[in-house]
Amino acid sequence: QVQLVESGGGLVQPGGSLRLSCAASGIIFRIYDMSWYRQAPGKARELVASISSAGVSTDYADSVQGRFTISRDNTKNTVYLQMNSLKPEDTAVYYCHAVRSSWSAALGSWGQGTQVTVSS
């Protein structure tokens, strides 16, 4: 059974940093594309960052470009999201997503999410 467990969320002041982790089990991690999504209150879920199965290719939403970095460690079955220069508009529940490389994202699996709150 696929299991994705996010951690690292919390409360941080504007300009601060957080590092999110997503530990995967029940899958052959090295053949899965991984992504981070987020959903703020009253807004649709949006793609924040993605990384290909081998870690060669990454993509970022314009709103986080230059501030966030996605990475993965295929020896630890874990994907990370380093978030720097955080802004109040980054406040959201952040979700980890995994899908077999080349498959539709709709066939993927979701974690339960971790709350990130950026506030003074």
Side-chain angles (χ1 to χ4, degrees):
Q1 185 175 359
V2 179
Q3 185 167 262
L4 303 173
V5 180
E6 301 97 334
S7 62
L11 175 64
V12 65
Q13 294 189 15
S17 297
L18 285 173
R19 190 195 195 200
L20 306 184
S21 298
C22 172
S25 60
I27 61 172
I28 304 174
F29 187 75
R30 68 181 186 277
I31 64 171
Y32 277 70
D33 294 334
M34 303 297 297
S35 299
W36 288 96
Y37 289 73
R38 68 186 181 187
Q39 188 164 26
K43 298 191 67 177
R45 188 171 298 189
E46 65 171 337
L47 178 63
V48 176
S50 296
I51 187 165
S52 60
S53 57
V56 174
S57 178
T58 59
D59 286 293
Y60 298 93
D62 289 345
S63 58
V64 307
Q65 190 94 236
R67 299 188 297 121
F68 291 11
T69 302
I70 189 170
S71 61
R72 66 191 294 160
D73 187 341
N74 283 357
T75 71
K76 297 180 179 179
N77 288 1
T78 301
V79 64
Y80 307 94
L81 186 67
Q82 178 66 47
M83 305 185 293
N84 298 326
S85 302
L86 283 161
K87 305 174 180 179
E89 51 262 45
D90 295 319
T91 295
V93 178
Y94 284 71
Y95 297 92
C96 183
H97 180 267
V99 65
R100 282 277 300 271
S101 185
S102 84
W103 289 20
S104 169
L107 299 176
S109 299
W110 296 95
Q112 293 299 305
T114 186
Q115 177 71 48
V116 172
T117 302
V118 184
S119 177
S120 299

